[in-house]
Amino acid sequence: MLRALMERARQGKRTIGYPATPPTLPARFHGQPLIDPSKCSADCHACEEVCPTDAIVFTPGERRLKLDLGRCLFCGKCQPACPKDVVKIGSDYRLAARTSSGLITEGKALEPVRPLDRNLRDLLGRSLKLRQVSAGGCNACEADTNVLGTVVFDLGRFGIQFVASPRHADGLLITGPVPENMKLALKKTYDAVPPPKIVIAVGACAISGGPYAGHSEVNNGAEGIVPVDLFIPGCPPHPMTILDGILRLLGQV
């Protein structure tokens, strides 16, 4: 016991200072891709062609380049493919949005997440219980969500906790593209959460179907099955992106 206490003292405080201080992210972190449509050539579709999920759409006549972060896998293939440096991988971790359309950008920064209305914030802002639903996920988004419970991020210090039963929850956090064999289970889980309740879709799969979008056995995410209040893009999203989105939804940032 003494050795354990001495080691704990040696390590010091391990919890990050966010939101009081900005987080320290790894050099290879893939944040919001930055695009500059003004540099595009009318006959160039390099970034569009290399995108595995059709997240980039270029309209030559209008010289418009749209990037849907809800479909983006943040693989970074578009940056080296572009001959004119139109696309660059940024480092902004603040990627969440209240609507799926709010994740579509033409080069501008995303709008900050609008907090819940005052009544819901008063009810959930200091104590939010979430039931996590893995609806066909590969376990990447689930793993980065679980990391939030470690001493580094310490989700509990914000009053946020994952619970085992939807009847004990204030909302759902959904990952995965929602295949047909999970559609009814997701509906039943949502119905079991007492109102008022919120729903958070985490990862490209839960938002748009990700790499499985368009498949006959996939419902292209959760939005068409249950109402979604917060969309957190990524494949998977960094824990900081998830934490930032939830705290902004609660008005704590």
Side-chain angles (χ1 to χ4, degrees), residues 29-48:
F29 173 73
H30 281 194
Q32 180 184 344
L34 306 174
I35 59 176
D36 185 357
S38 65
K39 296 181 180 179
C40 286
S41 300
D43 59 345
C44 181
H45 295 268
C47 61
E48 188 178 18

Side-chain angles (χ1 to χ4, degrees), residues 52 71 118 122 130 149 156 247:
R71 300 177 69 93
R118 184 60 182 269
D122 289 344
L130 295 171
L247 293 186

Side-chain angles (χ1 to χ4, degrees), residues 45-86:
H45 295 268
C47 61
E48 188 178 18
E49 292 171 354
V50 78
C51 181
T53 57
D54 298 325
I56 300 177
V57 178
F58 178 55
T59 309
E62 302 176 10
R63 296 181 67 84
R64 296 179 66 183
L65 187 67
K66 291 184 179 181
L67 172 62
D68 187 348
L69 295 178
R71 300 177 69 93
C72 181
L73 303 183
F74 294 79
C75 62
K77 290 183 178 180
C78 50
Q79 178 171 316
C82 178
K84 295 191 176 182
D85 293 328
V86 174

Side-chain angles (χ1 to χ4, degrees), residues 96 128 130-131 133 160 162 171-175 198-203 206-207 222 226-232 242 245-247 249-250:
L128 175 65
L130 295 171
R131 174 65 167 93
V133 179
I160 305 170
F162 290 102
L172 302 180
L173 188 147
I174 304 169
T175 57
I198 64 172
V199 175
I200 302 169
V202 172
I207 296 173
V226 295
V228 179
D229 300 282
L230 182 67
F231 298 83
I232 304 177
I242 303 172
I246 296 175
L247 293 186
L249 183 68
L250 298 177

